[in-house]
Amino acid sequence: MSDDTGAGKPRAPEGMGGLAKGLAIIEAFSETRREMTVAKAAQAAAISRASARRCLLTLAELGYVRQLGSAYLPTPRMLRLGDAFFESSTLPQLAQSHLDDARDQLNESVSLAVLEEGNSVFVARAEVTRPVSSYVRIGAKLPAYASATGRMLLADLADEDVDRYLSTTDFVPLSPKTETDPDRLRDLVRDVRARGYSVICEELELGMLAMAVPVRNRNGRTVAALSISAAIARVGLEQAEREFLPVLLARADALSRML
Amino acid sequence: MSDDTGAGKPRAPEGMGGLAKGLAIIEAFSETRREMTVAKAAQAAAISRASARRCLLTLAELGYVRQLGSAYLPTPRMLRLGDAFFESSTLPQLAQSHLDDARDQLNESVSLAVLEEGNSVFVARAEVTRPVSSYVRIGAKLPAYASATGRMLLADLADEDVDRYLSTTDFVPLSPKTETDPDRLRDLVRDVRARGYSVICEELELGMLAMAVPVRNRNGRTVAALSISAAIARVGLEQAEREFLPVLLARADALSRML
DNA sequence: CACGAATTGTTCGCTATGCGAACAAAAATC
DNA sequence: GATTTTTGTTCGCATAGCGAACAATTCGTG
């Protein structure tokens, strides 16, 4: 707003400043910011307190947040916003029967993920019941560097995009076996690119391995990754490559042909 | 803007008009509106084309939608907005272990739902693998009138709120057995209120029954419904009441004590 | 407990963002 | 091909939203 310069300069591309601010506040809610006051929201969204206050008043008026004392918390109505993607996107629905088939055939949980700002986001899932396994929420995300799907999706990026990702990511280990060296990760992504599938073993969660294959659109771009996960106590790497990989590749190929 | 009247009249409560418009556009995306042009978005959100255009430009600039010709479609980034609720809310995390226990004990899928504008919205799930069952997405919603959780949640509303709901709802049958008579539904909600749990049989989906019990906060209000669903080919109503109900009530009670 | 400092929430004069109407361009219909 | 309808874009104008100032609240210290 106040950063514009020269007189007579054409206007910046038009937009809706208040919308941008409000969305910044919504995205600022997190596990460490379960509720926010006007001041906290302003700080988290890098806007003035007056703007933050207006946004929160509008969000409250529309039912997206509720007020508790001077704090604001998101309500379930917020879920409608995420629904916009699910109701619009055909990919999860097209994929579901393929995931179900793969799950039934291999008796392991199967999921589909897309890349979103350095994260692998689950958009579809077929889950097999295990005593230990917990429900993975569609919409949940995993860091790309530590997940089979994430590495599969990174493998489709141009080298410079992979490098940009590697240079701006904070590599938090998620298990004692998480690879966090950027050079090593670059090599791993290249390996995935060469091999055409991705496997990680205990990097995301001890005791678990995961395998992912690409789902491509008709331009050959990888638009999603189809993955399977299993406990290494039950399934070794060789068995995964022998039994899981052909089925995943076949399912991914069938799905790719629909895109 | 132009609807304000008398001079010297105090300002309306302050807000952020552009945010309201942008959120209306986001919510307008649906299965019948998978993509929208500027004109379609303006119509769907009941705003001017110029405003719709500004909103879509901002949403595109921030990565929430992408442009395809003159149409705009949501991107996975939209999921972050729904995340605001999941990352803030403690209920799904508190509930998960209870759902897992109930699922393991009863060997049927168990879920937790909250009421959101006439819909029952899943916020947590423990799923048992069945050849027929498909994955129910957290965030997915069911009409309250046709679901066990929905009726359980409606039962906690005041009579006038139930009546308002019944008078403004379009009762679309979801199976040949869906109850769609408002008077009948009012009686069913009252029955649920008296009985303290809700059961539906084949109203949502042929061949399936579902049972739900209330999860209450310390004020006694029903803040969520815990439910189980099973195929009637395997489980009859009497068995459900004999075997499922005690476990659901115990789990719901344990969860209620944490709230 | 009182006081001062820091933080937070609210207000209001001012201006530039966002408005609506008009116009340009594209699409649809005859 | 001409006309009509619909859609996308522009721009003069005004009010919604801005930032700074102020009021209120909270926190820290003596």
Side-chain angles (χ1 to χ4, degrees), chain B residues 78-95:
Chain B
M78 201 67 84
L79 298 174
R80 296 193 195 186
L81 304 176
D83 277 351
F85 173 75
F86 283 115
E87 294 189 14
S88 286
S89 177
T90 55
L91 179 61
Q93 290 162 11
L94 288 173

Side-chain angles (χ1 to χ4, degrees), chain A residues 1-2 11 14 17-18 21 48-52 54:
Chain A
M1 263 60 173
S2 57
R11 280 192 184 186
E14 291 164 298
K21 287 169 180 160
S48 72
R49 292 196 302 279
S51 296
R54 283 175 167 271

Side-chain angles (χ1 to χ4, degrees), chain B residues 1-2 11 14 18 21 48-51 54:
Chain B
M1 254 73 171
S2 57
R11 279 193 186 184
E14 292 163 300
K21 287 168 179 162
S48 72
R49 292 195 302 278
S51 296
R54 282 175 167 272

Side-chain angles (χ1 to χ4, degrees), chain B:
Chain B
M1 254 73 171
S2 57
D3 61 338
D4 199 26
T5 50
K9 186 177 177 182
R11 279 193 186 184
E14 292 163 300
M16 196 68 99
L19 172 58
K21 287 168 179 162
L23 294 173
I25 287 184
I26 293 173
E27 285 210 27
F29 283 103
S30 68
E31 286 184 356
T32 54
R33 290 197 199 96
R34 292 179 183 269
E35 59 183 55
M36 289 194 285
T37 59
V38 167
K40 289 280 199 282
Q43 189 175 40
I47 62 178
S48 72
R49 292 195 302 278
S51 296
R53 176 169 184 268
R54 282 175 167 272
C55 289
L56 287 168
L57 287 178
T58 292
L59 289 171
E61 181 186 344
L62 296 174
Y64 292 97
V65 299
R66 65 186 170 89
Q67 191 168 358
L68 199 65
S70 62
Y72 294 83
L73 302 85
T75 68
R77 183 171 176 150
M78 201 67 84
L79 298 174
R80 296 193 195 186
L81 304 176
D83 277 351
F85 173 75
F86 283 115
E87 294 189 14
S88 286
S89 177
T90 55
L91 179 61
Q93 290 162 11
L94 288 173
Q96 191 62 52
S97 62
H98 295 283
L99 271 61
D100 291 345
D101 287 347
R103 185 270 318 273
D104 293 341
Q105 192 169 344
L106 301 174
N107 199 29
E108 300 289 354
S109 299
V110 178
S111 49
L112 191 76
V114 299
L115 190 66
E116 206 276 293
E117 289 284 317
N119 286 299
S120 169
V121 181
F122 290 111
V123 297
R125 178 84 169 168
E127 194 151 306
V128 70
T129 308
R130 290 276 181 252
V132 194
S133 81
S134 62
Y135 195 79
V136 174
R137 178 175 63 83
I138 288 178
K141 52 199 177 212
L142 297 172
Y145 64 87
S147 62
T149 47
R151 288 184 190 172
M152 189 70 254
L153 294 161
L154 288 174
D156 188 61
L157 301 184
D159 281 341
E160 58 268 28
D161 291 327
V162 176
D163 284 335
R164 183 178 310 121
Y165 166 74
L166 291 173
S167 64
T168 57
T169 298
D170 182 19
F171 298 107
V172 179
L174 302 181
S175 92
K177 294 192 170 179
T178 310
E179 180 59 66
T180 54
D181 174 57
D183 289 332
R184 227 354 230 148
L185 283 163
R186 181 180 294 107
D187 289 342
L188 288 170
V189 169
R190 282 184 178 146
D191 288 345
V192 169
R193 190 182 288 158
R195 217 171 32 245
Y197 66 95
S198 164
V199 193
I200 62 163
C201 197
E202 300 200 273
E203 291 196 56
L204 187 65
E205 185 180 352
L206 283 182
M208 300 293 293
L209 75 77
M211 171 178 284
V213 299
V215 176
R216 293 193 174 92
N217 67 7
R218 64 193 63 212
N219 298 328
R221 293 302 303 273
T222 300
V223 296
L226 181 65
S227 72
I228 190 164
S229 56
I232 58 177
R234 288 186 289 101
V235 178
L237 177 55
E238 287 177 15
Q239 182 184 353
E241 284 176 331
R242 186 174 63 249
E243 298 182 15
F244 292 172
L245 186 54
V247 175
L248 284 187
L249 288 170
R251 285 293 135 201
D253 188 60
L255 179 53
S256 295
R257 283 194 247 102
M258 292 175 162
L259 303 181

Side-chain angles (χ1 to χ4, degrees), chain A residues 234-254:
Chain A
R234 286 186 289 100
V235 178
L237 176 57
E238 287 178 13
Q239 182 185 352
E241 283 177 332
R242 188 174 60 247
E243 297 183 17
F244 292 171
L245 186 56
V247 175
L248 284 188
L249 286 170
R251 285 294 136 200
D253 188 59

Side-chain angles (χ1 to χ4, degrees), chain A residues 179-219:
Chain A
E179 180 58 66
T180 55
D181 174 56
D183 290 331
R184 241 331 244 155
L185 283 163
R186 182 180 295 106
D187 290 341
L188 288 169
V189 168
R190 282 182 179 148
D191 287 347
V192 169
R193 190 183 287 157
R195 219 172 31 241
Y197 66 96
S198 165
V199 191
I200 64 162
C201 197
E202 302 199 271
E203 290 196 57
L204 187 64
E205 185 181 352
L206 283 183
M208 300 293 292
L209 75 76
M211 171 178 285
V213 298
V215 176
R216 294 193 173 92
N217 65 9
R218 66 193 63 212
N219 298 328

